[in-house]
Amino acid sequence: MVISQIEFFGLFVFSYALVGLLTPLMRRVALSKGVLDRPNSAHKSHKQPVPYLGGVAIIVGVVVVSYSALIYSKINWSNFWLATSVLGPAVVMGLVGLWDDLKSLDPLPRFIGQTIAGLVVAVFLVLNDNIGNPTGVTGLDVAITVLWIVGICNSINFFDNLDGGAAGTVAISAITLTYLAITSDQYFIAALAIVVAGSTLGFLIWNRVPARIYMGDAGALFLGVLIATLTVRFKPSTDNSLTSFAIPVLLLAIPILDTTVAVFSRLRRQISPFQGGKDHLSHRLVRYGVSRKVVAITLWSLSALYGFFALLISGSNINETLILIIALAFWILLLILFLNSKDE
C-alpha cells in the first residue's frame, strides 16, 4: 500500500477539520447533559466545571477518516481487518473511558479493560508477525507488548492533567512517527499516525489554555492504546537492536517521565499510584510560578526534543549510542529535578 504526499495531506486536513468541527458540538452536548469535570476534589486544578466528551470527537474523527480513506482506496478485506485490529481495541478502551467519564469508575475496572485490550492486540500482532521488534520468543513478545500498551495507555491518561498538554504531546509524537514510517515505507502506520496528529490538533483548538472542553478518559485511553499499538508495530530502519527498542520509548519519553515522577512520588508517600494528585510535571512547574500556557509549551518542546532524538538515531550517520546516552542522561536529570521538587 503506497500513499502519495497529497493523500497524506488530505488525511491530515480532513481529520483536523472534522474533529475541529465535532468538538464544539460535543461541548454543547456535554453542557446540556451535565457531563462536566467539576473541581470537587483536591487534585483538580481548574476552578470552574469544564465539559467532557472531547474524546468522543477524537474517536469519531479518527474512525470516520480512517475507514473513509479505506473505502476511497477501494478497500480489501486484508486492509479492513488490519485497520480494525488497531482501531478496534482503541475504540473499546475509549468506550470504557467514556463510561468512566459518565459514571466515575474505580481504577480496577479501567486496569482490567486496559489489560484485556493489550492482550488482544498483543496476541493478534505476535501471531501475525506484526511486531516491529520481535525477540523471537512468542511468550516474551506478548508480555512485552501487553506491558507497553497498558503502560502507555496509563501514561497518556496520567499526562492529561493540563490544558492542551496531552493533545499537543500526542500530536508531536504522531507527526514524528508519521515521518519515520514514511521514510521506511510503512505507509499503513504513517496513515493512521497522520490521522491521529490531525485529530489531536483539531481538538487542541478547543483544548488549549484556557480549555473549553476536556478529552476525558474516553480520549486519553483511546489515544493511549492507539499510539502504543502504532509504535509497537513500527519497525525502525536500523540494524541496531538497541536503537530499534529505543525509538518508541523516545517518542513517548515525556509522558513516561510524567508517570514515573507521579508513581515514585506517591509510593514514597505511601499512597496508591492510581490516586489522583497534583504531583505531575505540569503541577510542579506551575508551583514554581510558570504560567499554564508556558508549561504546555515546555512539555511540547520536551516531547519535540525527544522526537528529534528518535529522528537522529534513525537513519543518520551520527553515533547512535552517543545520542542514546545523551537522551537517557537528560531524561534521568529531569527525573531527579522533578522528584526533588515539592510533591504537592
Side-chain angles (χ1 to χ4, degrees):
M1 179 177 69
V2 178
I3 302 176
S4 66
Q5 291 184 358
I6 190 66
E7 288 172 328
F8 274 116
F9 181 71
L11 288 173
F12 177 82
V13 170
F14 286 133
S15 56
Y16 177 85
L18 180 57
V19 175
L21 292 172
L22 284 175
T23 301
L25 296 179
M26 296 311 304
R27 184 177 185 274
R28 290 184 182 180
V29 172
L31 288 171
S32 66
K33 300 297 182 182
V35 185
L36 307 172
D37 184 4
R38 306 178 189 277
N40 53 9
S41 60
H43 72 275
K44 302 287 186 179
S45 58
H46 55 289
K47 305 301 181 183
Q48 300 294 329
V50 178
Y52 274 140
L53 301 186
V56 175
I58 294 173
I59 295 170
V60 172
V62 171
V63 170
V64 168
V65 172
S66 298
Y67 282 107
S68 296
L70 287 172
I71 294 171
Y72 172 79
S73 62
K74 298 179 181 179
I75 185 174
N76 58 54
W77 284 111
S78 175
N79 288 338
F80 173 83
W81 288 115
L82 193 61
T84 303
S85 70
V86 176
L87 293 172
V91 170
V92 170
M93 276 313 306
L95 294 176
V96 171
L98 178 60
W99 187 12
D100 187 22
D101 292 334
L102 298 174
K103 301 296 183 181
S104 297
L105 296 176
D106 292 330
L108 183 59
R110 292 202 307 267
F111 181 74
I112 292 174
Q114 293 165 4
T115 303
I116 292 174
L119 185 60
V120 169
V121 172
V123 170
F124 180 88
L125 295 182
V126 172
L127 292 181
N128 289 277
D129 195 25
N130 282 322
I131 296 291
N133 297 291
T135 65
V137 180
T138 300
L140 182 58
D141 285 339
V142 170
I144 292 173
T145 303
V146 172
L147 181 63
W148 175 255
I149 291 174
V150 173
I152 295 303
C153 189
N154 277 291
S155 287
I156 300 301
N157 197 24
F158 276 27
F159 199 63
D160 185 30
N161 54 67
L162 173 74
D163 299 353
T169 295
V170 171
I172 290 167
S173 298
I175 290 170
T176 309
L177 179 60
T178 300
Y179 178 82
L180 289 170
I182 289 174
T183 54
S184 56
D185 298 330
Q186 299 176 61
Y187 296 104
F188 174 77
I189 293 174
L192 281 178
I194 199 65
V195 170
V196 171
S199 298
T200 47
L201 289 176
F203 172 71
L204 190 59
I205 298 172
W206 306 93
N207 183 240
R208 68 182 187 272
V209 180
R212 285 166 281 180
I213 187 171
Y214 290 159
M215 69 170 69
D217 283 353
L221 296 181
F222 171 79
L223 290 173
V225 172
L226 189 51
I227 198 71
T229 303
L230 291 176
T231 50
V232 83
R233 288 182 66 113
F234 173 67
K235 182 174 179 57
S237 55
T238 174
D239 295 328
N240 187 321
S241 58
L242 179 61
T243 301
S244 294
F245 280 105
I247 286 178
V249 178
L250 290 172
L251 291 175
L252 295 162
I254 302 306
I256 293 171
L257 174 66
D258 180 73
T259 301
T260 305
V261 169
V263 169
F264 279 9
S265 170
R266 293 168 194 178
L267 288 176
R268 73 184 178 188
R269 287 178 288 146
Q270 298 182 336
I271 62 177
S272 170
F274 294 101
Q275 177 179 321
K278 293 184 178 180
D279 49 10
H280 293 278
L281 305 186
S282 62
H283 301 132
R284 294 167 189 269
L285 289 171
V286 167
R287 280 194 290 275
Y288 276 109
V290 184
S291 71
R292 297 174 67 82
K293 182 177 181 180
V294 173
V295 169
I297 294 172
T298 299
L299 295 177
W300 298 341
S301 300
L302 288 172
S303 296
L305 174 63
Y306 275 89
F308 180 64
F309 284 144
L311 293 176
L312 282 180
I313 66 174
S314 178
S316 71
N317 295 322
I318 300 175
N319 189 307
E320 298 172 351
T321 303
L322 177 61
I323 296 299
L324 286 177
I325 290 173
I326 293 172
L328 178 59
F330 186 55
W331 191 92
I332 292 174
L333 175 62
L334 290 172
L335 177 64
I336 294 171
L337 290 175
F338 279 112
L339 282 176
N340 284 324
S341 64
K342 186 178 179 181
D343 288 324
E344 290 196 13

